[in-house]
Amino acid sequence: MLFQVKMTVTIPAHLASGEFDSLKKLEKARAQELQIAGVWRHLWRIVGNYANISVFEVTNGEELHEILSTLPLFPYMNLEVTPLCRHPSSIEARG
């Protein structure tokens, strides 16, 4: 099942810059791991924001939640999740 996830990160003022830098490195590593595994299918930056639009391919919403909660920046994210299905007019192969 495909899900679009809009992730907007808000870093609290009390978080030390060194801690934030560490979290960003861990976040990048985890995101790349999930992309290599084929779970995180697309990752697009939203220009001018600390935010992205991503597409995940997972079994269900519960699995998606479990994956998202492993992201190091998860505690600082506002997430908007939209389930997706193929449009009948799409020329891309089904699958």
Side-chain angles (χ1 to χ4, degrees):
M1 184 167 191
L2 296 175
F3 289 90
Q4 174 191 289
V5 181
K6 180 181 180 186
M7 301 178 202
T8 304
V9 178
T10 304
I11 302 301
H14 71 274
L15 193 64
S17 64
E19 186 177 352
F20 179 56
D21 290 342
S22 275
L23 284 173
K24 285 194 300 186
K25 286 179 187 175
L26 292 169
E27 184 79 15
K28 182 177 182 177
R30 181 65 177 136
Q32 290 177 345
E33 177 183 303
L34 290 167
Q35 289 173 76
I36 290 166
V39 173
W40 197 326
R41 300 280 304 271
H42 298 278
L43 174 56
W44 297 93
R45 173 178 287 156
I46 299 174
V47 176
N49 293 282
Y50 196 163
N52 72 71
I53 297 288
S54 295
V55 175
F56 288 82
E57 185 169 7
V58 294
T59 305
N60 54 39
E62 184 176 345
E63 181 184 3
L64 177 63
H65 180 78
E66 289 175 15
I67 289 168
L68 293 173
S69 66
T70 69
L71 298 174
L73 290 174
F74 178 76
Y76 310 109
M77 289 181 181
N78 177 40
L79 301 171
E80 296 175 35
V81 178
T82 305
L84 302 172
C85 61
R86 187 153 315 276
H87 193 283
S89 297
S90 174
I91 62 170
E92 290 188 30
R94 297 203 175 261

